[in-house]
Amino acid sequence: MRRVRRILVIGATGRIGREVVSRLGAAGVRVRALARNPEAAALGSDVEVVRGDLTRPGTLESCLDDTEAVFLVWAAPPAAVGPALERITARARRVVFLSSPHKTPHPFFQQPNPGRVLHAEIERRIEGSGCAWTFLRPGMFAANALAWWGPRIRAGADNVRWPFAAAPTAPIDERDVAAVAVRALTEEGRDRAEYVLTGPDSLSQSEQVAILGDAIGRPLRLVEIPPEEARTELAALFPPVVMTMLFDAWAAALGQPAYVTSTVADVTGAPARTFASWATDHAAAFRP
Ligand SMILES: NC(=O)c1ccc[n+]([C@@H]2O[C@H](COP(=O)([O-])OP(=O)(O)OC[C@H]3O[C@@H](n4cnc5c(N)ncnc54)[C@H](OP(=O)(O)O)[C@@H]3O)[C@@H](O)[C@H]2O)c1
């Protein structure tokens, strides 16, 4: 591992960023976590947490002091990209950006949507800045199951009502995304790498729900509903633009296996975790 002066994690309180902070800390790297509300960050008393907001670029300045590398998760509005990226790339020598597989020639990843445009735009700005960079392009997170299916399963239902039952994805464990991020942040030879990250198996949405059932010891099945019905039933879960993005991707994914890469194993030396192992480790979150 290279000696890195200090790494700033933006998105540190989220699913991937939290895991990156914890892994960098465990590896003895000086890590600083950015949060809009440090008091609520709950990252542990040994983590340096600083207040910052991507939509208020001035707040990034002191967060970037004495920082060599930045791990960037972008969850802010697109209008904030320009000013924030200007500050980040002016101060950091290396940026590892959590993107998505917008360049991967699989129908699931090729449907037009605002997320792809945003990620491509952020990548373009980082590439043009002269910083060293690595782009992580994970597919579907296994952790989506917590928000998507968790509430209904926790409430005791033996099914989830969902569209596109047969659509396959290769869900990736957030710990594997974080493990690759840590390599990219701390090792030489990762500059200009574009890592498309997936879980090890192509699994239909029905299969994923059944695997969750195995993990919690209660049979679960996915009951397919038509997309028009799902638009109403899932309105509280997804904003319309996200629903359209997901439905278009699932529809395009039907009829062929999900795109699967060996990148997690290639970069970390450990095989990508299966969805079954993710489900076992998160079973408590699906029990009443
Ligand atoms: N879900 C998927 O299947 C999937 C697949 C591929 C790529 N992705 C990408 O992954 C990213 C999301 O990662 P995640 O799931 O780890 O995130 P997450 O759990 O949704 O957390 C979002 C993080 O962004 C921070 N944040 C939000 N607005 C901010 C702002 N204005 N300034 C500074 N920080 C802000 C939040 O911090 P505070 O609220 O504490 O300030 C939080 O730490 C997105 O870019 C998404 O497109 C997702």
Side-chain angles (χ1 to χ4, degrees), residues 10-18 34-38 40-41 52-56 60 71-77 80 97-101 115 118-119 122 136-144 148 172 174 245-246:
I10 301 180
T13 59
R15 294 177 292 192
I16 306 293
R18 188 171 287 278
L34 181 145
R36 285 175 297 175
N37 181 4
D53 186 333
L54 289 165
T55 64
R56 296 194 295 133
L60 303 176
F71 180 64
L72 175 63
V73 175
W74 188 276
F97 171 52
L98 182 70
S99 183
S100 59
L118 174 66
H119 287 158
I122 295 174
L136 309 188
R137 300 205 181 109
M140 279 288 185
F141 295 171
N144 291 335
W148 293 359
I172 182 161
E174 57 276 17
M245 182 185 89
L246 288 169

Side-chain angles (χ1 to χ4, degrees), residues 2-23:
R2 254 169 10 107
R3 278 190 64 79
V4 193
R5 209 164 65 230
R6 179 185 276 110
I7 294 174
L8 175 68
V9 176
I10 301 180
T13 59
R15 294 177 292 192
I16 306 293
R18 188 171 287 278
E19 193 65 35
V20 170
V21 168
S22 133
R23 282 165 186 261

Side-chain angles (χ1 to χ4, degrees), residues 95-142:
V95 178
V96 175
F97 171 52
L98 182 70
S99 183
S100 59
H102 59 91
K103 288 190 178 167
T104 298
H106 184 285
F108 183 79
F109 299 123
Q110 283 308 318
Q111 306 315 303
N113 68 62
R116 298 184 58 202
V117 174
L118 174 66
H119 287 158
E121 165 68 5
I122 295 174
E123 290 184 7
R124 192 185 61 73
R125 286 179 184 268
I126 295 170
E127 273 184 279
S129 72
C131 278
W133 54 262
T134 308
F135 299 149
L136 309 188
R137 300 205 181 109
M140 279 288 185
F141 295 171

Side-chain angles (χ1 to χ4, degrees), residues 31-85:
V31 58
R32 179 182 282 160
L34 181 145
R36 285 175 297 175
N37 181 4
E39 293 75 27
L43 284 162
S45 52
D46 52 336
V47 178
E48 180 192 0
V49 186
V50 291
R51 188 181 304 276
D53 186 333
L54 289 165
T55 64
R56 296 194 295 133
T59 64
L60 303 176
E61 291 291 353
S62 58
C63 302
L64 286 158
D65 274 349
D66 199 28
T67 292
E68 179 177 343
V70 168
F71 180 64
L72 175 63
V73 175
W74 188 276
V81 165
L85 263 290

